[in-house]
Amino acid sequence: MPKMKAAIFVEPGRIVLEDKPIPDVGPLDALMRITTTTICGTDVHILKGEYPVAKGLTIGHEPVGIIEKLGSAVTGYREGQRVIAGAITPSGHSYACLCGCSSQDGAGTKHGFKAAGGWRFGNTIDGAQAEYVLVPDAMVNLSPVPDALTDEQVLMCPDIMSTGFAGAERGGITIGDTVVVFALGPIGLCAIAGAKLMGATTIIGVDTVPARIEVAKRLGADMVVDFKKGDPVKQIMDLTDGRGVDVAIEALGTQGTFESALRALRPGGTLSSLGVYSTDLQIPLSAFSAGLGDNTIVTSLCPGGKERMRRLMNVVASGRVDLTSLVTHHYRLDDIEKAYDLFSHQRDGVLKVAITP
């Protein structure tokens, strides 16, 4: 049986490169040969044992590549075609998908909904940090890459661009809004870009890393609050003359950032949460205005599917957003364990790592 190299989860603290069989292709599947992929913060949660996956699972959910083989029932594509697939790979036919909640795809369940059910790569099926990945429901999930775009230009589309933009979209940003984004990692930076596209006219970032602050300003942040120089909520209130922000986007997943995002809102504002939380959250009474503040709290899982990917690639092709600066490091697949060590410890100013075969 032909083999491929793949980064697999062994146990908390260990993701290693090993040989695995190249997967067989079912009627609705496509086998993609990976040309570029990357490591996500969620992969680090898996590495640390904070998010459980099966031992032996191939990790990764951000594939850019070439169609190697098509399933017998797949039409509209050709072998050798450049494509991406979203981190979320909905079935397209569940009740969740058909009511617009494809990230919560429950295909095969009694009622058609399953929390985070659309996230399959590197969660419930083998993922993209490998030489090949099997893409399920290929006609729903494969999106052709325009010839004019490079792998690195579209590498952010499968997950962090889709997720960051979703934070802005779900926050309901409108023209003239004041928005704050807590934590300027790759997703927070994409949330800033998304907020600008949606018409926010004052965008505040919260971070302390100079390189991230610089990128945030290039992507649309008007100012950045350094949380090491004082209470970020007080600084935000000073910047807004005590009003608070219309939308606060939480892009880290901690009690502290969630609570600060809630406290930074004006009455009637929206907290848009993107973080992956590892412990229970608490909502302080004062930040919640005893339940009387007319605030909205929304959460988002990265939207997927080929139409979402097509639209994001349109944004890239238009030149309205350039996220290539987020790729700060390059590694070969053979060195992915070194890449994990760098990324998980956030050394050397790393934002995103491009992994190539």
Side-chain angles (χ1 to χ4, degrees):
M1 183 176 293
K3 297 289 185 76
M4 66 176 183
K5 297 174 183 176
I8 67 166
F9 174 76
V10 179
E11 61 186 3
R14 287 188 67 205
I15 290 176
V16 301
L17 192 68
E18 290 192 0
D19 287 339
K20 293 183 75 167
I22 296 175
D24 294 328
V25 180
L28 294 174
D29 303 331
L31 184 67
M32 184 195 299
R33 176 168 57 84
I34 299 295
T35 54
T36 310
T37 188
T38 184
I39 299 172
C40 178
T42 307
D43 300 329
V44 175
H45 283 291
I46 291 170
L47 172 66
K48 293 179 177 179
E50 296 170 347
Y51 186 91
V53 299
K55 293 182 178 180
L57 188 77
T58 302
I59 304 305
H61 49 260
E62 297 161 278
V64 182
I66 295 170
I67 296 173
E68 183 78 8
K69 186 176 181 181
L70 290 170
S72 59
V74 177
T75 60
Y77 299 88
R78 57 178 173 78
E79 292 175 358
Q81 188 173 20
R82 288 180 69 221
V83 290
I84 63 173
I88 302 302
T89 52
S91 66
H93 61 76
S94 69
Y95 286 111
C97 290
L98 295 174
C99 79
C101 295
S102 60
S103 297
Q104 314 305 323
D105 180 20
T109 65
K110 182 178 179 181
H111 299 290
F113 289 83
K114 182 180 179 183
W119 174 27
R120 294 190 272 182
F121 286 147
N123 184 20
T124 58
I125 64 174
D126 281 335
Q129 291 169 13
E131 292 181 289
Y132 296 91
V133 66
L134 189 69
V135 180
D137 300 299
M139 290 187 288
V140 180
N141 292 300
L142 287 181
S143 191
V145 178
D147 291 339
L149 297 180
T150 66
D151 278 16
E152 287 195 11
Q153 283 179 290
V154 302
L155 182 58
M156 304 302 125
C157 295
D159 185 359
I160 68 162
M161 185 180 182
S162 188
T163 301
F165 279 24
E169 291 164 313
R170 290 274 288 155
I173 293 171
T174 58
I175 292 171
D177 271 353
T178 298
V179 176
V180 65
V181 179
F182 282 84
L184 302 181
I187 286 176
L189 291 169
C190 289
I192 282 177
K196 182 178 180 180
L197 281 175
M198 293 189 69
T201 50
T202 303
I203 303 174
I204 304 167
V206 180
D207 210 289
T208 192
V209 180
R212 293 185 176 192
I213 292 171
E214 180 183 340
V215 175
K217 290 181 177 178
R218 289 205 303 268
L219 291 175
D222 297 288
M223 58 204 79
V224 177
V225 165
D226 186 341
F227 61 82
K228 287 189 176 179
K229 294 181 178 179
D231 178 6
V233 176
K234 183 181 184 305
Q235 294 182 68
I236 293 162
M237 287 300 178
D238 289 343
L239 289 171
T240 60
D241 195 27
R243 176 181 182 273
V245 301
D246 299 289
V247 179
I249 301 174
E250 195 287 326
L252 184 61
T254 68
Q255 174 68 36
T257 49
F258 179 88
E259 184 175 330
S260 292
L262 190 58
R263 291 186 185 279
L265 290 177
R266 63 160 171 83
T270 298
L271 192 167
S272 181
S273 173
L274 296 174
V276 178
Y277 300 93
S278 301
T279 59
D280 289 343
L281 285 173
Q282 295 183 352
I283 298 179
L285 185 67
S286 59
F288 197 48
S289 302
L292 302 174
D294 283 332
N295 293 121
T296 301
I297 299 174
V298 296
T299 65
S300 301
L301 174 60
C302 170
K306 66 182 182 183
E307 172 62 4
R308 176 69 168 185
M309 297 299 105
R310 183 191 70 81
R311 287 175 175 270
L312 295 178
M313 287 190 287
N314 276 356
V315 174
V316 173
S318 74
R320 284 172 170 79
V321 173
D322 180 2
L323 299 174
T324 54
S325 63
L326 300 189
V327 179
T328 54
H329 294 72
H330 296 77
Y331 281 85
R332 306 291 292 186
L333 181 61
D334 285 341
D335 296 319
I336 196 166
E337 293 174 44
K338 294 179 182 178
Y340 262 103
D341 184 64
L342 172 81
F343 188 75
S344 64
H345 291 95
Q346 289 293 290
R347 294 197 306 269
D348 194 26
V350 65
L351 283 173
K352 291 290 280 186
V353 178
I355 307 291
T356 53

